[in-house]
Amino acid sequence: MTNRYHWPFLLARLAAGMSMFGHGFVRLPKLHGFSNWMVGQFQKSMLPDAIVVPFSYFLPLAELLVGVLLLIGLFTRQALIAGGFVMIALIFGSSMIEEWGAIPSQLIHTAFFAVLLCFVNDSNSLAVDTLLKSNKSKNRQIL
């Protein structure tokens, strides 16, 4: 680690990753129940079940995948972007049901993803991405 932002980046990446992983992981065993709960939350919104039901099954998988990728540091840039878009979708959903209390947490997650994106190229150490990049450059030197 040679950059003064390596440790802050790592801690923030792991924290954001663990949050996403935890959200997805706890919902997977009760995916059908989670879906039913979410559909119930949106009954009085203008969003049709045809949108809410698929999203309710997609969300825990997306959270889990983004979380795992951030925790191990694989496809970090893509995971941060995907996480940001998941949060934007959640902010939209929270707005549709007027669940204003959830939005600050979603905005904080989005801010984490955005700030991490600013530093991912130079500060993403202790990551599978870094190992793959290192191995790729070593293979080029051999050839």
Side-chain angles (χ1 to χ4, degrees):
M1 291 196 200
T2 59
N3 177 320
R4 69 182 180 135
Y5 298 113
H6 283 255
W7 281 110
F9 183 91
L10 177 64
L11 293 173
R13 190 191 87 209
L14 292 176
M18 188 57 73
S19 177
M20 295 298 284
F21 175 80
H23 275 87
F25 187 72
V26 299
R27 292 174 175 160
L28 281 183
K30 53 184 179 181
L31 193 54
H32 187 68
F34 173 74
S35 176
N36 288 337
W37 171 82
M38 184 177 272
V39 169
Q41 294 292 305
F42 282 86
Q43 283 303 305
K44 295 182 181 179
S45 78
M46 63 177 73
L47 293 177
D49 285 354
I51 292 174
V52 176
V53 171
F55 185 77
S56 70
Y57 284 99
F58 166 78
L59 177 61
L61 297 172
E63 290 170 328
L64 183 73
L65 180 61
V66 167
V68 167
L69 291 175
L70 290 177
L71 287 172
I72 65 172
L74 179 62
F75 305 121
T76 307
R77 172 178 289 286
Q78 295 86 342
L80 291 168
I81 292 168
F85 280 114
V86 168
M87 288 301 133
I88 291 167
L90 289 173
I91 291 167
F92 174 74
S94 295
S95 298
M96 292 296 98
I97 60 172
E98 300 181 75
E99 184 57 50
W100 311 118
I103 293 176
S105 173
Q106 295 158 348
L107 287 171
I108 290 169
H109 278 80
T110 307
F112 262 79
F113 296 139
V115 170
L116 286 170
L117 269 171
C118 294
F119 293 94
V120 70
N121 287 339
D122 298 323
S123 302
N124 192 28
S125 60
L126 291 176
V128 174
D129 287 338
T130 305
L131 293 173
L132 294 174
K133 189 177 179 182
S134 174
N135 287 340
K136 192 174 184 180
S137 67
K138 285 179 187 176
N139 287 339
R140 283 187 185 154
Q141 289 174 358
I142 293 171
L143 299 174

